[in-house]
Amino acid sequence: MSTEEEQQSCVGGYWSSFSSNMASFGKFLYNSEEGTIMGRDGGSWLRISIFYLGYYLFLAGLFAISIHACLSALDPYLPYFQTRLQYPGMTIMPRTDKFDPAALDIRFDDKEKKTYLAYIDGITDVLKPYNASLQEGDEFTDCTTTSLAHQKFDDTVKTAKACKFDVSNFLTECQQPPYGYPLSPCIFVRLNRVINWKPVPFMSLTDELASSEESGAMSLAEHLKMQSITYNKDYSYITCSGKSDADQENLGKAVYGPDGISAKFFPYFGKGRQEQYISPMVSVQFPNIKRNVEIKATCKVYARNMIDLARINVGYVDFKVKIDTTK
């Protein structure tokens, strides 16, 4: 037998085998002689369909009961776990997209408006919720004579009022555009929201937590002395300074408005109870900041129940400032 005949015989064998297999598969799908589909008649398909319908309905019911039991055990207003959220993080505003990734650093040329316009626009966006016209209604209260801590909840009272925040407490130049730019730019310091957290005041300024070696910030006693103010237990004071002596000399003395964050704004009860809550902020300026030099700075908040943890910006926050000036 020639090679060509051997090839034709092999192809014929393969085709015959394939045809036989396809015929068998077709008969499996539908056997007209026995009246079955995939080996089962109508009665068999009915029985197995009823079984699996009941089986999957049981699983769906079991899943629904499990989810309902889980949700009914959770407080709708309070997270079940509050581990790394026991202390509020700290940040400065604005955080712009001028850098990639977005950063807290402040860098611009005071002679070129396009280099600092992003900061002005960023602050304007941050201050929109602080507009007095948006702080009207029953969900807001004046906290100059009261605080949030007195509020109680039951089956009939489920929502909490929010404190009004008066932007006139900010430094004058920080209340409206251009927010001190480009001569003495404003920054705004605030704490992240943590449900039911309240700042605890210091009983003594010699308390070891009234100073911060990790952040490099000046101690609370030094800050109060520099600002010529007396310690008020109703405030968590903010201090912003250079990371080193050279940085502090280049940064100059900071001015604040208000002096600190009032305890009357705490605690925060969560978005479920307090959707209109406005985070209190402190405006900061550096009127005597030196030009054409990069300055490493830190801002710290002082409260007895705050720790310093740089990894998640708890207790303090670091940033850099460089204001160039072209001749």
Side-chain angles (χ1 to χ4, degrees):
M1 182 180 295
S2 66
T3 302
E4 183 177 351
E5 292 176 342
E6 289 179 353
Q7 291 178 345
Q8 291 179 351
S9 176
C10 183
V11 171
Y14 281 133
W15 176 254
S16 176
S17 176
F18 176 77
S19 300
S20 176
N21 289 336
M22 290 302 297
S24 298
F25 180 69
K27 189 173 183 180
F28 165 73
L29 291 178
Y30 176 67
N31 190 326
S32 59
E33 298 176 357
E34 299 180 0
T36 61
I37 299 176
M38 290 188 287
R40 295 181 179 273
D41 59 17
S44 178
W45 277 114
L46 178 62
R47 290 191 297 273
I48 197 172
S49 297
I50 293 175
F51 170 78
Y52 278 106
L53 177 63
Y55 175 67
Y56 287 118
L57 286 176
F58 169 76
L59 292 180
L62 185 61
F63 177 75
I65 292 173
S66 300
I67 294 297
H68 176 74
C70 179
L71 294 178
S72 63
L74 297 177
D75 189 324
Y77 303 109
L78 186 67
Y80 187 77
F81 291 107
Q82 279 187 281
T83 50
R84 62 175 292 179
L85 299 179
Q86 293 174 348
Y87 309 100
M90 183 178 179
T91 189
I92 64 170
M93 311 298 290
R95 184 186 183 96
T96 71
D97 293 326
K98 182 177 179 179
F99 306 103
D100 186 18
L104 302 177
D105 296 346
I106 300 173
R107 299 174 184 268
F108 64 88
D109 189 316
D110 60 8
K111 296 296 192 295
E112 297 186 23
K113 186 175 182 179
K114 64 180 181 180
T115 62
Y116 58 82
L117 187 60
Y119 299 107
I120 298 175
D121 293 340
I123 294 175
T124 298
D125 290 339
V126 168
L127 295 185
K128 282 181 180 179
Y130 294 79
N131 191 305
S133 63
L134 301 178
Q135 301 182 51
E136 302 294 339
D138 295 337
E139 61 269 29
F140 289 96
T141 184
D142 185 356
C143 290
T144 57
T145 57
T146 184
S147 68
L148 297 180
H150 71 281
Q151 300 187 78
K152 306 296 181 182
F153 307 101
D154 53 33
D155 292 338
T156 58
V157 181
K158 296 183 179 180
T159 58
K161 293 181 180 295
C163 284
K164 295 181 180 180
F165 189 93
D166 189 353
V167 295
S168 65
N169 293 319
F170 291 148
L171 296 169
T172 302
E173 290 187 349
C174 300
Q175 297 177 20
Q176 57 188 0
Y179 311 110
Y181 285 84
L183 299 179
S184 179
C186 294
I187 63 172
F188 296 83
V189 182
R190 75 180 182 189
L191 299 177
N192 296 336
R193 302 173 184 181
V194 174
I195 296 176
N196 289 337
W197 183 87
K198 294 187 294 184
V200 175
F202 292 99
M203 296 296 104
S204 171
L205 296 182
T206 60
D207 191 314
E208 63 178 5
L209 292 179
S211 61
S212 176
E213 293 184 2
E214 179 176 334
S215 68
M218 67 177 66
S219 68
L220 178 56
E222 291 174 326
H223 169 73
L224 297 175
K225 182 179 180 180
M226 179 176 288
Q227 298 297 318
S228 300
I229 54 179
T230 303
Y231 181 63
N232 185 339
K233 294 181 180 179
D234 288 335
Y235 284 89
S236 296
Y237 289 92
I238 303 292
T239 174
C240 294
S241 57
K243 294 288 287 184
S244 66
D245 292 340
D247 288 322
Q248 179 57 41
E249 183 179 350
N250 292 329
L251 190 65
K253 179 182 177 180
V255 291
Y256 307 85
D259 292 331
I261 297 176
S262 173
K264 294 183 182 294
F265 286 86
F266 299 95
Y268 168 59
F269 293 107
K271 190 173 183 180
R273 291 194 188 277
Q274 211 172 18
E275 186 175 358
Q276 305 300 325
Y277 183 83
I278 297 177
S279 298
M281 295 197 299
V282 173
S283 60
V284 185
Q285 278 185 295
F286 306 99
N288 301 311
I289 188 170
K290 190 175 182 179
R291 263 53 178 173
N292 298 318
V293 60
E294 182 178 89
I295 304 169
K296 296 179 180 179
T298 184
C299 286
K300 161 129 182 86
V301 60
Y302 277 107
R304 186 65 182 78
N305 56 337
M306 287 284 288
I307 63 172
D308 291 340
L309 191 58
R311 182 171 56 85
I312 52 176
N313 286 345
V314 170
Y316 70 98
V317 59
D318 292 334
F319 60 100
K320 298 176 183 177
V321 183
K322 186 179 182 185
I323 303 178
D324 293 321
T325 181
T326 53
K327 296 181 180 180

